[in-house]
Amino acid sequence: MYRLASVTTDGIHWVLRRNCSVTPRQLGAMYALLSALSLVVAGFFWTHGAWMVLPFSVVELVAVGVAFLAYARHATDGEHICVSRGRLVVEQEDAGRLSRIEFAGHAIRVEAPGGRRLLVSVWGGGRSAEVGRYVRADLRPVLAQEIRRALRES
C-alpha cells in the first residue's frame, strides 16, 4: 500500500503539486474587478479636483499586477514521478518550463533528506534529480521510501 502514490496498470505515479488556493483564471478575474473598482474610485476623486489619486491608483495597480503575474507563473508548478518496468521518470515543471529526466536499470539510488539536504535525491546513470519540493518536509522520507520500494518491485 502506498501513501503518496497512485498505482495504475502502467506503473506507480506520484503527482506532486504546489498548494494554490486560486487558479490563474480566478486571479485574473480578481485583478480585473480590483482594477475596475480602484479606477472608479480614482476617477471620482479626479473629477472632484483630487487629480493625484489617479496616478497613485495606476501605480498601485501596476505593482499588484506584477505580483499577481509572479504568482500565476508558478501556480501550475509540480512534479510527476513514475516508476514503470524498472524505469524511473521524473518530470518537473517550474514557471512553465518542463524538464524530464529518465533513470534506467537497477543502479538507481534514492536518498531521503537528511543533514543539509532538504529534498529527496535520486542518482543513476550519471544523472541526478532532487524531488519532493511540493511535499511537506515530514513526508519526504516517506516519499523516498515509497520510490525505493516501487523500484524494488518493478
Side-chain angles (χ1 to χ4, degrees), residues 109-113 117-123 128-131 144:
R109 288 181 34 210
V110 179
E111 289 191 16
R117 262 187 313 101
L118 300 174
L119 300 174
V120 176
S121 299
V122 180
W123 289 285
S128 68
E130 288 192 327
V131 297

Side-chain angles (χ1 to χ4, degrees), residues 38-98:
S38 183
L39 291 174
V40 164
V41 170
F44 172 79
F45 282 103
W46 179 69
T47 60
H48 286 82
W51 62 273
M52 284 301 290
V53 174
L54 187 59
F56 278 104
S57 181
V58 170
V59 169
E60 169 206 11
L61 291 174
V62 168
V64 170
V66 168
F68 279 8
L69 279 175
Y71 174 88
R73 278 184 58 110
H74 293 282
T76 60
D77 289 358
E79 299 171 330
H80 178 236
I81 304 164
C82 178
V83 174
S84 177
R85 293 182 222 98
R87 294 186 170 278
L88 172 67
V89 178
V90 176
E91 294 177 342
Q92 297 174 320
E93 184 177 354
D94 183 37
R97 286 176 280 131
L98 184 68

